[in-house]
């Protein structure tokens, strides 16, 4: 569309700038708060310009003094949980979508709708029975307990189903004539052709896993198993002493980094995966 | 080189039967074309031979061995699809080598075969490219290459040229035919284009609603069609059909009439068929109003309206002909080339 209406340009830019400011401002406050010492953050007005304590705070945070869980451990736990959830979700849903799209078996649609129904049952709804099951399996305070209940994914199954349905049937027939078994076809044709979708889904699911809060809070009692998102909350409830805002903000900043890195590095494939149809 | 026999082949989807018992015997090295309008079951029949579609009843034999329950890969066939079905994420080389790799053929043997076939089809220059970087004609040749490289007993083609433009289609038609003669591999070729069917086939199978309406060489079918469907389907432009009434002295076509040929003994209502190329312009016992003129360069097609008939009569005339729309144009049939069909059964009588 080629247009030249200055007023429209002005309005659309204003809206865009406001929208960006709305997201960027809290992050800015977080960065600023992370660069001052504890005392400055208890005084009014709150600073809006960065201080000079940034590296000192960062060092202090990683020295791990005075916290229940050291930050590098919680980061590692979060990473392990997020990776297990996202990889597990992709592996399970891609296989089930493959079964649903390419095989004709009894009750196929029934199973599909069963999977679809689980969309209505997120963790929060089934949290008590799930906890009971995990506890009985002795999986409290383990990575398995953190990730397995979150691994089944109707959304991902549905997305892969849609992707597979865009792959022409002739490719499956051609590979049958070439002598490929169903699993060969799966690995040699279906997976390479869904590469971009897998990447896009990985980004979404990694962030979903990283941001989990309620479930880790329930199944972990051992501080060594805390995730970083949880630990921010724990730091706020530090008993009689003042909350250490500069360190809390620094933790939040560090916790934001991995999802940002994932998005930055996978952005290209991510956008391609959501829009591309080179088939 | 292999023979293929189909015996009483039937195919049903749930309760609807789409192929009603087809018998075809194909000889070694023969080029068979299955032709028919869309929905007549020609692709289904081909896919049953390929093993992509199950067989409800009847038998398919390749080299006298029943293959009904064999997987496609064990039937010794290879197939070229309408949309080529090349693997988009593999290079041309890998596309051609994929089937051989799955056969666990040694690498240098694969390489030799792929290079040989690439040379044969003149696609050596794009072996390392992806299919998306190729033109339609090149993709078509890669798809053929993938079929040839497997060294099959039988080639199956499923409307392979319908995605190409007209000029390329004529070129590829020749290439496929020459290649098939060179390799002498038994071939079944599906198309809805009757020109393609006529030019390529050793023998034609005209399919109509899941039945083999007629099987024969292109000229047999052109000269001697069994029923009105085959007569109308083969030949371009299509045969004219006129409802008429046969009396003792003359055949009445609306208000006009021609003398009754001596071999026509049946009386009453009948359908007369005449090909556009079988008209006489020197004699004139009939006439019609020019409705439309199609100039094709080498010849001209006249669409004439006769009273009492909805369909215009198409006549192929000399390219120099000068006619005007709305003018009355006299013509007559080449009486030796008339066909007569039964009004009800549509079978040919004379």
């Amino acid at each position: 569309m080629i247009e030249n209406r200055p007023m429209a340009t002005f309005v659309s830019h204003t809206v865009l700038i406001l929208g960006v400011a709305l997201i960027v401002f809290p992050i800015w406050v977080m960065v600023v708060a992370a660069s001052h010492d504890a005392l400055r953050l208890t005084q009014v007005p709150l600073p809006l310009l960065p201080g000079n304590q940034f590296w000192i705070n960062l060092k202090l945070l990683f020295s791990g003094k005075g916290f229940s869980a050291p930050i590098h451990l919680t980061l590692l736990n979060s990473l392990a949980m997020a990776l297990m959830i996202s990889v597990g979700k992709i592996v399970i849903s891609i296989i089930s979508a493959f079964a649903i799209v390419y095989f004709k078996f009894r009750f196929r649609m029934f199973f599909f709708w069963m999977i679809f129904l689980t969309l209505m049952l997120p963790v929060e709804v089934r949290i008590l029975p799930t906890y009971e099951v995990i506890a009985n399996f002795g999986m409290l305070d383990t990575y398995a307990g953190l990730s397995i209940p979150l691994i089944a994914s109707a959304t991902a199954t549905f997305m892969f189903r849609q992707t597979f349905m865009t792959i022409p049937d002739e490719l499956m027939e051609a590979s049958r004539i070439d002598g490929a078994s169903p699993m060969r076809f799966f690995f040699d044709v279906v997976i390479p052709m869904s590469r971009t979708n897998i990447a896009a889904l990985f980004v979404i699911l990694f962030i979903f896993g990283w941001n989990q809060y309620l479930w880790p809070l329930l199944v972990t009692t051992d501080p060594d198993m805390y995730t970083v998102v949880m630990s921010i909350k724990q730091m706020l409830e530090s008993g009689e002493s003042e909350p250490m805002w500069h360190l809390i903000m620094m933790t939040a900043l560090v916790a934001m980094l991995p999802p940002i890195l994932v998005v930055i590095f996978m952005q290209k494939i991510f956008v391609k995966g959501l829009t591309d149809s080179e088939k | 080189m292999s023979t293929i026999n189909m015996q009483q082949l039937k195919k049903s989807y749930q309760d609807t039967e789409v192929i009603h018992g087809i018998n075809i015997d194909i000889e070694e090295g023969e080029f068979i074309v299955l032709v028919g309008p869309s929905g007549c079951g020609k692709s289904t029949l081909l896919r049953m031979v390929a093993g992509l579609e199950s067989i409800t009843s009847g038998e398919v034999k390749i080299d006298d061995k029943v293959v009904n329950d064999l997987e496609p890969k064990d039937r010794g066939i290879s197939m070229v699809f309408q949309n080529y079905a090349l693997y988009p994420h593999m290079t041309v080389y890998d596309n051609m080598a994929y089937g051989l790799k799955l056969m666990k053929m040694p690498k240098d043997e694969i390489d030799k075969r792929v290079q040989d076939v690439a040379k044969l089809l003149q696609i050596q220059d794009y072996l390392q490219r992806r299919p998306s970087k190729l033109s339609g004609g090149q993709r078509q040749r890669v798809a053929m290459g993938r079929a040839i490289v497997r060294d099959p007993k039988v080639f199956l083609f499923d409307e392979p040229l319908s995605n190409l433009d007209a000029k390329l289609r004529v070129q590829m038609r020749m290439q496929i035919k020459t290649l098939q003669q060179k390799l002498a591999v038994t071939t079944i070729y599906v198309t809805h284009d009757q020109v393609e069917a006529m030019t390529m086939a050793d023998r034609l199978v005209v399919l109509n609603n899941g039945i083999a309406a007629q099987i024969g060489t292109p000229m047999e079918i052109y000269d001697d069609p069994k029923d009105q469907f085959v007569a109308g389907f083969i030949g371009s432009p299509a045969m004219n059909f006129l409802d008429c009434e046969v009396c003792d002295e003359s055949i009445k076509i609306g208000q006009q009439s021609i003398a009754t040929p001596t071999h026509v003994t049946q009386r009453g209502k009948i359908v007369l068929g005449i090909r556009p190329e079988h008209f006489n312009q020197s004699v004139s016992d009939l006439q019609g109003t020019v409705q439309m003129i199609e100039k094709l360069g080498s010849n001209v097609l006249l669409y004439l309206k006769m009273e009492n008939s909805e369909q215009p009569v198409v006549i192929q005339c000399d390219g120099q002909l000068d006619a005007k729309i709305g003018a009355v144009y006299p013509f007559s049939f080449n009486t030796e080339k008339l066909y007569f069909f039964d009004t009800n059964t549509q079978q040919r009588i004379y």
Side-chain angles (χ1 to χ4, degrees):
Chain A
M1 204 159 62
I2 301 166
E3 274 189 352
N4 190 12
R5 282 185 295 179
M7 199 51 210
T9 317
F10 177 75
V11 170
S12 57
H13 274 77
T14 315
V15 172
L16 288 175
I17 289 167
L18 279 176
V20 170
L22 210 60
I23 294 165
V24 167
F25 184 68
I27 297 174
W28 175 248
V29 170
M30 185 167 72
V31 174
V32 168
S35 64
H36 285 274
D37 57 14
L39 192 63
R40 177 66 186 84
L41 291 173
T42 55
Q43 294 161 351
V44 187
L46 282 172
L48 280 177
L49 290 173
N52 52 6
Q53 301 285 304
F54 191 83
W55 298 112
I56 299 171
N57 287 344
L58 195 64
K59 228 186 253 169
L60 193 65
L61 185 67
F62 275 91
S63 70
K65 258 176 275 172
F67 306 110
S68 47
I71 177 114
H72 49 86
L73 207 61
T74 58
L75 277 175
L76 193 74
N77 290 340
S78 275
L79 189 71
M81 178 178 74
L83 280 179
M84 282 172 76
I85 290 177
S86 44
V87 172
K89 266 179 191 278
I90 286 174
V91 169
I92 290 178
S93 53
I94 204 169
I95 282 280
S96 46
F98 182 66
I100 283 169
V101 174
Y102 285 101
F103 292 89
K104 289 202 169 56
F105 49 90
R106 220 176 257 260
F107 305 126
R108 182 167 70 132
M109 284 324 275
F110 170 78
F111 281 117
F112 176 68
W113 286 111
M114 287 292 283
I115 294 172
F116 213 67
L117 268 179
T118 62
L119 269 181
M120 292 177 211
L121 302 169
V123 185
E124 289 75 8
V125 177
R126 54 184 164 91
I127 202 152
L128 280 177
T130 310
Y131 182 84
E132 171 85 18
V133 171
I134 294 297
N136 288 345
F137 274 131
M139 292 203 288
L140 297 178
D141 281 324
T142 61
Y143 284 144
L146 273 173
S147 48
I148 287 175
L150 302 172
I151 265 181
S153 170
T155 334
T157 311
F158 191 68
M159 260 198 69
F160 279 125
R161 176 177 173 263
Q162 300 304 55
T163 313
F164 293 170
M165 278 164 46
T166 66
I167 298 178
D169 281 348
E170 280 87 350
L171 281 186
M172 188 253 288
E173 291 168 350
S175 75
R176 273 181 74 188
I177 288 176
D178 271 337
S181 63
M183 286 323 277
R184 267 253 84 82
F185 170 66
F186 179 66
F187 286 114
D188 287 352
V189 178
V190 172
I191 288 190
M193 286 187 70
S194 327
R195 225 174 39 238
T196 49
N197 298 70
I198 295 174
L201 217 57
F202 177 78
V203 173
I204 296 170
L205 296 177
F206 182 84
I207 294 170
F208 165 85
W210 186 268
N211 288 343
Q212 281 306 313
Y213 171 66
L214 185 60
W215 181 251
L217 195 64
L218 272 182
V219 290
T220 57
T221 46
D222 181 355
D224 282 352
M225 293 302 295
Y226 285 179
T227 65
V228 71
V229 179
M230 273 172 71
S231 72
I232 297 172
K233 180 71 182 9
Q234 304 276 354
M235 287 161 80
L236 278 170
E237 300 160 346
S238 46
E240 294 99 65
S241 58
E242 289 280 324
M244 292 175 290
W245 281 113
H246 57 308
L247 293 185
I248 294 171
M249 287 305 177
M250 186 54 91
T251 314
L253 201 61
V254 171
M256 263 177 59
L257 277 180
I260 288 178
L261 289 179
V262 167
V263 170
I264 288 174
F265 283 114
M266 303 197 87
Q267 189 193 30
K268 244 194 191 152
I269 327 178
F270 178 74
V271 174
K272 224 177 143 201
L274 290 183
T275 56
D276 163 64
S277 56
E278 189 211 330
K279 273 159 203 156
Chain B
M1 297 249 273
S2 300
T3 58
I4 306 171
N5 306 87
M6 302 177 206
Q7 283 160 6
Q8 278 304 315
L9 263 193
K10 287 185 186 172
K11 173 78 188 171
S12 314
Y13 292 107
Q14 274 99 43
D15 293 331
T16 26
E17 196 174 80
V18 290
I19 306 262
H20 312 283
I22 282 185
N23 296 300
I24 306 173
D25 294 312
I26 301 171
E27 282 161 32
E28 289 188 355
E30 213 175 5
F31 196 114
I32 290 283
V33 174
L34 302 181
V35 66
S38 45
C40 70
K42 54 192 189 300
S43 281
T44 312
L45 189 61
L46 187 80
R47 292 160 55 83
M48 283 159 79
V49 177
L52 298 171
E53 205 78 66
S54 63
I55 294 167
T56 310
S57 75
E59 274 181 351
V60 175
K61 288 185 193 166
I62 297 177
D63 274 342
D64 292 321
K65 194 177 145 212
V66 178
V67 294
N68 283 25
D69 296 325
L70 288 185
E71 275 291 301
K73 66 175 165 102
D74 301 319
R75 297 188 180 197
I77 53 147
S78 49
M79 185 157 170
V80 177
F81 294 86
Q82 178 173 358
N83 60 5
Y84 321 128
L86 299 172
Y87 308 118
H89 58 288
M90 295 185 194
T91 61
V92 168
Y93 184 95
D94 289 334
N95 260 288
M96 288 166 68
Y98 185 60
L100 303 181
K101 270 182 203 154
L102 294 178
M103 285 181 205
K104 305 242 155 56
M105 191 180 276
K107 268 220 167 73
D108 42 336
E109 169 77 16
I110 294 180
D111 190 60
K112 189 176 160 298
R113 278 221 209 173
V114 172
Q115 297 293 352
D116 284 353
V117 173
K119 204 178 283 170
L120 182 73
L121 292 165
Q122 293 162 345
I123 49 174
Q124 310 99 301
D125 295 345
Y126 358 103
L127 279 180
Q128 292 314 318
R129 288 199 214 162
R130 295 275 172 89
S132 56
K133 300 277 182 293
L134 302 180
S135 70
Q138 291 166 340
R139 280 183 217 184
Q140 177 59 55
R141 270 182 290 169
V142 174
M144 298 251 312
R146 187 171 67 178
I148 295 171
V149 89
R150 289 168 53 81
D151 197 11
K153 292 194 274 187
V154 177
F155 279 139
L156 305 173
F157 291 90
D158 190 0
E159 308 207 15
L161 302 183
S162 49
N163 283 357
L164 299 178
D165 63 68
K167 198 178 164 195
L168 206 53
R169 205 178 302 167
V170 176
Q171 254 177 41
M172 287 304 296
R173 199 160 79 194
M174 295 310 298
Q175 271 192 21
I176 293 180
K177 180 71 185 165
T178 19
L179 209 61
Q180 192 266 345
Q181 275 165 353
K182 197 159 143 191
L183 301 169
V185 175
T186 315
T187 301
I188 306 181
Y189 186 105
V190 163
T191 180
H192 60 263
D193 178 345
Q194 57 93 17
V195 179
E196 226 168 272
M198 289 288 282
T199 50
M200 297 176 86
D202 290 333
R203 274 198 302 156
L204 274 176
V205 178
V206 185
L207 287 174
N208 185 23
N209 285 326
I211 294 169
Q214 191 169 356
I215 303 175
T217 65
M219 282 322 282
E220 266 169 39
I221 288 180
Y222 177 84
D223 286 336
D224 192 15
K226 265 190 185 159
D227 60 23
Q228 199 177 332
F229 171 79
V230 176
F233 194 77
I234 297 296
S236 168
M239 188 186 274
N240 298 297
F241 295 110
L242 299 165
D243 290 322
C244 58
E245 199 174 343
V246 184
C247 303
D248 289 338
E249 295 299 311
S250 62
I251 298 176
K252 281 190 188 145
I253 308 162
Q255 253 80 77
Q256 311 185 33
S257 63
I258 56 169
T260 309
T262 46
H263 67 283
V264 177
T265 51
Q266 187 171 327
R267 295 289 174 260
K269 287 211 186 305
I270 207 167
V271 175
L272 178 150
I274 174 91
R275 293 194 188 277
E277 54 269 38
H278 294 153
F279 281 87
N280 258 332
Q281 277 136 300
S282 47
V283 204
S284 54
D285 45 6
L286 295 165
Q287 61 180 32
T289 321
V290 180
Q291 211 173 30
M292 198 170 70
I293 306 167
E294 278 185 352
K295 297 195 170 160
L296 304 175
S298 64
N299 51 44
V300 173
L301 297 181
L302 284 184
Y303 290 72
L304 299 181
K305 172 95 176 121
M306 290 176 76
E307 75 274 22
N308 292 351
S309 83
E310 298 140 45
Q311 289 284 328
V313 179
V314 185
I315 303 185
Q316 186 175 311
C317 308
D318 190 59
Q320 304 305 316
L321 183 95
D322 192 26
K324 287 198 173 55
I325 290 179
V328 173
Y329 187 84
F331 64 92
S332 106
F333 301 136
N334 178 350
T335 42
E336 283 167 19
K337 302 281 191 180
L338 288 179
Y339 299 90
F340 294 93
F341 303 93
D342 190 282
T343 327
N344 298 318
T345 61
Q346 306 201 325
Q347 292 299 309
R348 176 142 163 251
I349 326 173
Y350 306 110

